[in-house]
Amino acid sequence: MELLQDVLVGIANNIFNQVPILIGLIALVGLLLQRKPVEAVVGGTIRAVVGVVILMIGVEIFVGGLVAFQAIVASAVGLEPPTATSTLNDFLAGPGAAVPLIIAVGFAIHILLVRLFSAARYVYLTGHLMFWMSIVIAASLVEVLTDIPQTTLVIVGAVIIACYWTLQPLWIAPLMKRLMGHDQFGLGHTTSTLALVAGYGSKALRLGDAQRHDSERLRLPKSISFFKDINVSTALIISVIMLVAIAFADAGVVQEQMGESELLPWAWGLTQALRFAAGIAILLFGVRMFLAEIVPAFKGISDKVLPGTRPALDIPVVFPKAPTAVMIGFLSSTVVFLVLMGVFAAAGWFVLVPPMIMLFFGGGSGGVFGNAVAGWRGAVFGGVVNGVILAFGQWIGWGLYENTAPEIATLADADWYAVGWLVLGATQLLAPLGNAAAWIVAGATLVVTVAVLVLLSRRRGAPDDTVAARTATVPTASGTSSTATGGGAPAARPTDTRRADTTHRRHTAGETP
């Protein structure tokens, strides 16, 4: 038993939590199953891995700037972050040590659900979020059932997380298809509930027209037309924000963030802003290179192992579709959060910590999905919603996890709150039953998931609804498009192809899926 546990922990730590390795293995298996020649297998696998590494380098570059910006902004407004007796590190050293086991067992259950139900079309491949959502679920269970046995925690946590990985790409799939114009891959990210609110909320409020108000087609006066270049606008806007924050921040905090740099603070701030813009450019290039390889490679798995499936991927895969909307969402999200930070401080409610990483990725997610439905107005709305969710989520979540890992309230995406609080609430309701409460919650989650999958399978009926995906275009590393065939089915007949082309044009034109 101990040997099995060590093996599972090793798999979780060295594969699932290492995104390049996970993607490389998926690409390798997919290409081998297609019986590609050796040169295609080696080349495709390495290009997919290198694309992920480039993406991660881009993320690391601008995330480093966001972390420094976060500390400087907190200092500029004169607020001390909240403290707690329990910390995330303490939790991971204690009950949270079960997280790698939850990931490994949970992924096995997820694959089983995908294999058994045709409606479960997506394989969740966002490795680092597998880790974080497993922490959220484990902390939610332990917060109520403080003496829960590790075996119970692992099995119950694995069932819940497997159901989430299976359902999450499905509930965002209609909006994802509308945004991308195809469903060749899905979204596997913890901003999915935010994306739902941004998309369907923009539609309900009738904020604008996706075509007429598209953020990527904004008409600007000639004198400021340079803002249409995402690299230029990012560098300029972040430079202004950084310089203003440095001007009002404590000199000691700024110097601490500068480290051993011998630059003057304003010069250091400008270099950080430029690095931020460069990081986004690198990220977008890595996304294109990665998608150009992983989607065709996954066809082997879709054809031979998990029929009809597609990969569910990280949120940066949608950013090249509307990079201006990403910045609109990020900026509106940041402005709203900073305003609420001042309101909370003035009212004495809670000391908010500006989570710049979540403001960027969540704001970007809300921006692109809002833009897909209502143009730039929807992008602004999506960013505003993200700022509100993160502010109130921190305030409420810090108290909910005060005995386990309160920091997860300040590091969260929208799904962390939605899923974590549901698990907390259900477990608390059944707490008088003791540890049996955990089993009931897991059983109920599995029953609901299976019921949803059966219902979706019946609604889909015999004809496969993925014809359009088989002729979808996939961006290449150069930014152009190439046709990828997937979906695990034979090539469409001529009549099917015409129907697929019509469907693709409708989605490209922005019609509701």
Side-chain angles (χ1 to χ4, degrees):
M1 186 65 183
E2 186 174 337
L3 176 61
L4 176 61
Q5 178 173 322
D6 290 341
V7 170
L8 292 177
V9 170
I11 291 173
N13 289 337
N14 294 284
I15 296 180
F16 293 117
N17 207 28
Q18 301 299 320
V19 181
I21 295 177
L22 175 63
I23 295 300
L25 288 174
I26 294 294
L28 175 63
V29 171
L31 291 169
L32 288 174
L33 288 173
Q34 295 179 68
R35 298 183 179 180
K36 295 288 186 180
V38 173
E39 64 273 17
V41 172
V42 174
T45 301
I46 293 178
R47 282 191 295 271
V49 172
V50 171
V52 174
V53 172
I54 291 173
L55 184 158
M56 294 179 69
I57 289 173
V59 171
E60 289 173 4
I61 290 174
F62 72 76
V63 162
L66 287 175
V67 171
F69 181 44
Q70 177 174 310
I72 292 171
V73 168
S75 172
V77 296
L79 298 176
E80 290 292 330
T83 58
T85 55
S86 179
T87 68
L88 177 60
N89 287 336
D90 294 336
F91 177 72
L92 291 176
V99 165
L101 292 172
I102 292 174
I103 296 172
V105 177
F107 193 74
I109 298 173
H110 169 52
I111 293 299
L112 181 62
L113 290 172
V114 171
R115 184 66 181 85
L116 292 176
F117 298 96
S118 61
R121 295 176 292 168
Y122 299 99
V123 179
Y124 198 98
L125 295 180
T126 311
H128 65 288
L129 290 181
M130 292 181 177
F131 173 75
W132 283 107
M133 278 301 290
S134 296
I135 291 178
V136 170
I137 289 173
S140 300
L141 293 167
V142 174
E143 188 70 36
V144 179
L145 307 172
T146 55
D147 61 344
I148 184 172
Q150 186 186 52
T151 302
T152 301
L153 180 60
V154 169
I155 297 175
V156 169
V159 169
I160 295 173
I161 196 65
C163 292
Y164 169 76
W165 291 336
T166 304
L167 293 180
Q168 183 267 295
L170 292 177
W171 68 54
I172 195 63
L175 276 177
M176 184 68 173
K177 181 185 283 188
R178 176 167 184 159
L179 169 65
M180 301 304 298
H182 62 78
D183 62 352
Q184 193 66 26
F185 55 85
L187 179 67
H189 199 265
T190 50
T191 59
S192 65
T193 48
L194 163 69
L196 287 176
V197 175
Y200 291 115
S202 295
K203 180 179 179 181
L205 295 173
R206 299 180 180 180
L207 295 178
D209 180 82
Q211 296 298 314
R212 189 166 67 251
H213 301 122
D214 185 5
S215 63
E216 311 311 302
R217 299 179 182 177
L218 284 175
R219 293 184 178 180
L220 300 176
K222 187 175 182 181
S223 59
I224 59 171
S225 59
F226 54 80
F227 272 105
K228 296 186 70 174
D229 185 321
I230 186 64
N231 296 316
V232 175
S233 60
T234 300
L236 286 175
I237 293 170
I238 299 301
S239 293
V240 171
I241 296 175
M242 182 69 83
L243 291 177
V244 171
I246 288 174
F248 289 95
D250 180 86
V253 173
V254 175
Q255 192 59 49
E256 181 181 353
Q257 296 303 314
M258 291 176 60
E260 298 180 357
S261 175
E262 297 181 356
L263 295 174
L264 293 174
W266 65 267
W268 176 82
L270 287 177
T271 60
Q272 293 302 304
L274 294 172
R275 284 172 57 84
F276 183 94
I280 292 179
I282 294 170
L283 179 150
L284 295 178
F285 177 81
V287 166
R288 294 187 181 99
M289 183 175 180
F290 156 60
L291 286 180
E293 300 301 331
I294 191 61
V295 174
F298 195 85
K299 183 180 180 297
I301 295 174
S302 178
D303 285 348
K304 304 293 179 62
V305 182
L306 300 171
T309 58
R310 304 157 181 76
L313 305 171
D314 203 351
I315 190 65
V317 298
V318 305
F319 287 176
K321 195 70 178 178
T324 303
V326 172
M327 287 308 301
I328 291 174
F330 168 51
L331 291 174
S332 57
S333 181
T334 301
V335 169
V336 168
F337 187 92
L338 294 179
V339 169
L340 289 175
M341 188 165 67
V343 171
F344 276 43
W349 294 341
F350 185 74
V351 179
L352 295 174
V353 177
M356 299 309 299
I357 297 172
M358 283 66 191
L359 287 170
F360 177 80
F361 286 104
S365 174
V368 293
F369 281 96
N371 180 71
V373 175
W376 67 266
R377 299 172 183 175
V380 172
F381 174 73
V384 169
V385 170
N386 185 57
V388 172
I389 289 175
L390 293 183
F392 283 90
Q394 276 194 26
W395 181 24
I396 299 169
W398 188 272
L400 293 178
Y401 294 102
E402 61 182 353
N403 297 315
T404 49
E407 296 101 321
I408 61 177
T410 63
L411 300 172
D413 286 323
D415 288 13
W416 298 29
Y417 300 134
V419 176
W421 295 1
L422 279 175
V423 174
L424 259 174
T427 309
Q428 186 67 57
L429 184 66
L430 299 170
L433 300 177
N435 290 329
W439 293 103
I440 296 173
V441 170
T445 303
L446 185 59
V447 168
V448 170
T449 300
V450 170
V452 169
L453 294 176
V454 170
L455 179 61
L456 290 176
S457 297
R458 289 177 178 174
R459 286 181 60 185
R460 292 178 68 194
D464 193 356
D465 66 351
T466 62
V467 178
R470 296 175 198 145
T471 58
T473 55
V474 179
T476 64
S478 62
T480 59
S481 296
S482 62
T483 300
T485 303
R493 295 186 299 273
T495 54
D496 294 334
T497 302
R498 288 195 296 272
R499 188 180 302 115
D501 290 341
T502 302
T503 303
H504 179 71
R505 286 196 298 272
R506 286 176 180 170
H507 289 303
T508 302
E511 295 181 17
T512 304

